[in-house]
């Protein structure tokens, strides 16, 4: 067979392509073809097994079987790089299946927990029919020393056992000793419902010096629940909030604890069902990232909510609506994001047009069409002049035909010899656009050495820019 003559590195790459992985939480089922390949011969088995066990996603009642397999074959644990927990929906462990390995489990727990009474509670909770998922998740973490990615489908109040595991690992890392989870670099929490535990929940991860990236989806953060992260997380360089609703006053004190971010993504979307949500206040978001001017390379600030023209009619809390209205009347540009020219390393910027320009004041609308047209010209100039010379990719979201002036000013700035590092421009329209105008944009971009893409938005429920 021609396949057998391929180098082993290429065979491994072919087998790895049989994995199923979707953006965000993993949906993992080893396909039948991959399982059959593992049974084909000893050589193929050696090549397939690392891929087969590279990811563990909890489904239904597979946790007990997985634990038993790892206890019987500890060598397989070294292959697991991704652990995706279906937390908190994990079935209780089955004592009969794990009885032969009880001593091994006791030894693992003893290594992580010095308190004998707490160890007994941990061991008992794993098999209790009235169980909490935390003891089981903590045991799985103890079994997997090489995971680099950890994903939780849902956050709940922090469990003392998972906290013990990560606390022990953090202590060993501080001493420069080889610790379990030294390879843990990425943590993603997909669904938040109990926001009062947000900071308490994430603090158990951020102490790990190996951790580089955090992603939170569907998080809601109120100002009055912020009680801070005690440690400065200078080792974390990537922070993402997807489909998130954060009180504008809570964002700045949170980001102060992340002084070395090179990547920050905030895709705003109201998550409340009672009709009250926090406004997307551009100047508050900008104030929160000002300390990152010397480090930030990728910035994604996208509002996935209403059309900005209608934003004043949204159901903000009364206090914040009044605050934003006052700021808007005092200085029309106060709700714009402001200049980014001070972000000297910024290579990628993706933002809604409304973010970079700010809203048109209601007073201007009252003055008539001429005043509105003049305001849009000023907004276009504000957007284009706010871009830093370091920029390589620009993505503008919620574009409309009335925003085309910014595009022409962008090309003019390029002709003047500015923005010479810019290579890619993506224009994402929230409404139907003129196809001929789109072709003109692409043609003009080519003349200036730019790759210009013009397309329609895929809808509010889409995540927005690629943040993975």
């Amino acid at each position: 067979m021609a396949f057998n003559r391929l180098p082993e590195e290429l065979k491994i790459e072919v087998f790895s392509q049989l994995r199923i992985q979707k953006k965000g939480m993993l949906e993992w089922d080893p396909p039948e073809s991959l399982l059959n390949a593992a049974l084909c011969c000893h050589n193929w088995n050696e090549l397939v097994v690392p891929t087969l066990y590279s990811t563990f996603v909890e489904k239904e009642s597979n946790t007990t079987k997985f634990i038993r397999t790892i206890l019987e074959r500890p060598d397989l644990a070294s292959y697991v790089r991704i652990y995706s927990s279906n937390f908190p929906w994990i079935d209780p462990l089955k004592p009969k299946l794990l009885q032969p390995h009880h001593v091994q489990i006791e030894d693992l727990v003893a290594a992580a927990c010095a308190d004998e009474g707490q160890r007994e509670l941990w061991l008992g909770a794993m098999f209790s029919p009235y169980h909490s998922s935390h003891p089981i998740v903590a045991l799985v973490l103890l079994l997997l020393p090489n995971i680099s990615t950890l994903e939780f489908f849902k956050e709940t109040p922090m469990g003392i056992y998972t906290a013990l595991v990560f606390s022990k690992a953090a202590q060993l890392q501080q001493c420069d000793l080889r610790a379990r989870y030294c390879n843990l670099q990425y943590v993603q929490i997909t669904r938040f419902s109990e926001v009062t535990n947000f900071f308490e929940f994430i603090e158990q991860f951020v102490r790990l010096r190996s951790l580089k990236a955090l992603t939170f989806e569907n998080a809601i953060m109120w100002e009055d629940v912020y009680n801070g992260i005690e440690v400065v997380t200078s080792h974390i360089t990537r922070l993402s909030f997807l489909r998130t609703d954060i009180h504008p006053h809570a964002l700045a004190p949170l980001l102060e604890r992340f002084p070395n971010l090179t990547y920050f993504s905030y895709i705003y979307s109201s998550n409340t069902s009672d009709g009250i949500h926090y406004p997307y206040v551009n100047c508050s978001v900008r104030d929160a990232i000002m300390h990152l001017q010397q480090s930030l390379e990728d910035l994604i600030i996208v509002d996935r909510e209403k059309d900005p023209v209608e934003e004043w009619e949204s159901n903000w809390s009364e206090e914040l609506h009044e605050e934003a209205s006052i700021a808007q009347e005092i200085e029309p540009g106060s709700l714009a994001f402001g200049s980014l020219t001070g972000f000297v390393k910024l290579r990628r910027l993706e933002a809604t047009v409304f973010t970079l320009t700010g809203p048109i004041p209601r007073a201007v609308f009252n003055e008539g069409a001429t005043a509105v047209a003049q305001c849009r010209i000023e907004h276009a100039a504000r957007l284009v002049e706010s871009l830093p010379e370091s920029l390589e990719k620009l993505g503008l979201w919620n574009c409309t035909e009335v925003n085309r002036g910014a595009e022409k000013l962008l090309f003019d700035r390029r002709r003047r010899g500015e923005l010479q590092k810019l290579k890619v421009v993506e224009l994402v329209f929230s409404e139907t656009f003129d196809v001929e105008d789109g072709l003109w944009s692409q043609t003009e971009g080519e003349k200036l050495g730019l790759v210009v893409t013009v397309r329609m938005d895929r809808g509010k429920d889409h995540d927005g820019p690629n943040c993975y």
Side-chain angles (χ1 to χ4, degrees):
M1 294 174 60
F3 184 79
N4 287 333
R5 293 196 294 269
L6 293 174
E8 291 193 349
E9 293 81 0
L10 291 180
K11 293 179 184 178
I12 293 173
E13 180 62 27
V14 171
F15 292 137
S16 69
Q17 296 303 313
L18 296 177
R19 297 192 308 174
I20 300 175
Q21 179 174 337
K22 293 187 177 181
K23 187 174 72 171
M25 288 299 290
L26 298 166
E27 295 185 7
W28 167 251
D29 262 323
E32 186 176 349
S33 55
L34 187 59
L35 295 171
N36 290 338
L39 299 174
C40 181
C41 62
H42 288 296
N43 176 255
W44 281 27
N45 182 272
E46 292 177 359
L47 299 177
V48 170
V49 162
T51 297
L52 201 57
Y53 284 89
S54 64
T55 301
F56 172 52
V57 177
E58 289 170 330
K59 281 191 173 183
E60 298 175 351
S61 58
N62 68 343
T63 305
T64 299
K65 295 178 181 178
F66 176 79
I67 292 174
R68 181 184 63 179
T69 299
I70 296 299
L71 290 171
E72 292 176 351
R73 290 277 310 276
D75 58 299
L76 297 177
S78 64
Y79 299 132
V80 183
R81 295 292 187 269
I82 299 173
Y83 171 33
S84 184
S85 174
N86 199 26
F87 185 70
W89 299 290
I90 303 174
D91 288 350
L93 297 182
K94 297 177 175 59
K96 289 184 179 180
L97 290 178
L98 296 178
Q99 183 60 39
H101 309 288
H102 194 72
V103 174
Q104 289 174 270
I105 294 175
E106 287 183 339
D107 291 342
L108 284 167
V109 172
C113 181
D115 185 278
E116 183 177 355
Q118 203 166 43
R119 289 201 304 269
E120 292 299 320
L121 290 174
W122 187 350
L123 291 166
M126 290 182 198
F127 301 98
S128 170
Y130 309 104
H131 79 301
S132 165
S133 300
H134 287 288
I136 300 173
V137 171
L139 175 61
V140 175
L141 291 172
L142 288 174
L143 288 167
L144 305 177
N146 292 331
I147 55 173
S148 60
T149 299
L150 175 62
E151 298 189 339
F152 285 120
F153 179 67
K154 184 178 182 181
E155 125 289 353
T156 66
M158 186 179 70
I160 59 173
Y161 307 113
T162 54
L164 280 171
V165 172
F166 286 112
S167 176
K168 184 72 172 180
Q171 290 174 13
L172 293 174
Q173 287 186 1
Q174 291 294 330
C175 299
D176 290 325
L177 298 176
R178 180 169 177 78
R180 287 180 180 269
Y181 323 121
C182 281
N183 291 323
L184 184 58
Q185 298 180 9
Y186 175 66
V187 172
Q188 176 172 338
I189 318 295
T190 294
R191 181 178 298 173
F192 279 86
S193 59
E194 303 190 27
V195 295
T196 54
N197 299 290
F198 181 91
F199 296 98
E200 183 182 10
F201 184 80
I202 70 172
E203 191 160 5
Q204 62 182 312
F205 307 117
V206 299
R207 292 180 181 273
L208 292 172
R209 291 194 303 175
S210 59
L211 195 64
K212 303 301 180 186
L214 285 168
T215 296
F216 305 103
E217 294 189 38
N218 301 298
I220 307 171
M221 194 184 306
W222 299 315
E223 180 187 25
D224 56 358
V225 305
Y226 179 78
N227 52 16
I229 302 172
E230 294 182 1
V231 294
V232 175
T233 55
S234 57
H235 53 285
I236 296 177
T237 59
R238 296 174 64 90
L239 181 62
S240 299
F241 291 97
L242 309 181
R243 296 188 299 277
T244 297
D245 189 353
I246 298 179
H247 191 294
H249 294 170
L251 193 58
L254 169 63
L255 292 187
E256 284 176 1
R257 295 299 178 179
F258 298 89
N260 294 328
L261 292 181
T262 61
Y263 179 105
F264 177 63
S265 171
Y266 179 33
I267 298 181
Y268 169 83
S269 178
S270 172
N271 289 279
T272 58
S273 58
D274 58 6
I276 301 296
H277 65 273
Y278 301 120
Y280 181 83
V281 181
N282 298 318
C283 54
S284 296
V285 179
R286 183 176 185 273
D287 290 345
I289 67 168
M290 285 303 293
H291 66 293
L292 301 173
Q293 289 188 80
Q294 300 301 314
S295 65
L296 203 60
E297 298 177 7
D298 294 80
L299 176 61
I300 300 172
I301 305 291
V302 172
D303 181 358
R304 300 300 292 162
E305 281 301 306
K306 293 184 178 181
D307 186 295
V309 174
E310 301 175 359
E311 187 63 35
W312 291 106
E313 305 303 324
S314 64
N315 295 317
W316 294 357
S317 64
E318 183 176 347
E319 176 187 355
L320 282 170
H321 195 295
E322 181 179 357
E323 177 181 328
S325 298
I326 292 173
Q328 174 70 7
E329 295 303 322
I330 293 174
E331 173 53 56
S334 63
L335 294 189
F337 198 81
S339 176
L340 291 166
T341 55
F343 290 78
V344 294
K345 295 184 179 179
L346 193 64
R347 299 180 304 172
R348 176 190 177 195
L349 172 64
E350 302 210 29
T352 41
V353 172
F354 171 66
T355 297
L356 300 179
T357 64
I360 296 176
R362 284 176 290 181
V364 173
F365 275 111
N366 294 336
E367 292 177 15
T370 302
V372 170
Q374 180 60 36
C375 185
R376 283 179 174 145
I377 293 173
E378 295 171 359
H379 278 188
R382 178 185 298 159
L383 186 159
V384 173
E385 295 303 320
S386 72
L387 304 178
E389 287 290 336
S390 57
L391 204 62
E392 297 178 11
K393 179 180 179 181
L394 173 64
L396 296 177
W397 289 69
N398 276 25
C399 294
T400 63
E401 287 297 328
V402 297
N403 301 134
R404 298 307 286 257
E407 178 186 356
K408 295 175 181 177
L409 290 176
L410 177 66
F411 291 159
D412 288 341
R413 188 174 172 188
R414 176 81 167 194
R415 292 188 187 97
R416 295 198 303 265
E418 302 176 16
L419 296 177
Q420 290 303 298
K421 293 183 179 180
L422 189 62
K423 301 174 183 176
V424 177
V425 176
E426 184 177 29
L427 306 175
V428 184
F429 280 74
S430 57
E431 58 187 40
T432 303
F433 61 90
D434 189 292
V435 176
E436 291 187 3
D437 286 344
L439 293 174
W440 177 87
S441 300
Q442 294 174 342
T443 302
E444 287 298 305
E446 288 179 6
K447 294 177 182 177
L448 297 169
L450 298 173
V451 177
V452 179
T453 303
V454 183
R455 65 176 178 84
M456 285 289 296
D457 193 351
R458 282 181 277 173
K460 173 184 168 182
D461 294 330
H462 178 56
D463 286 346
N466 180 11
C467 300
Y468 295 88

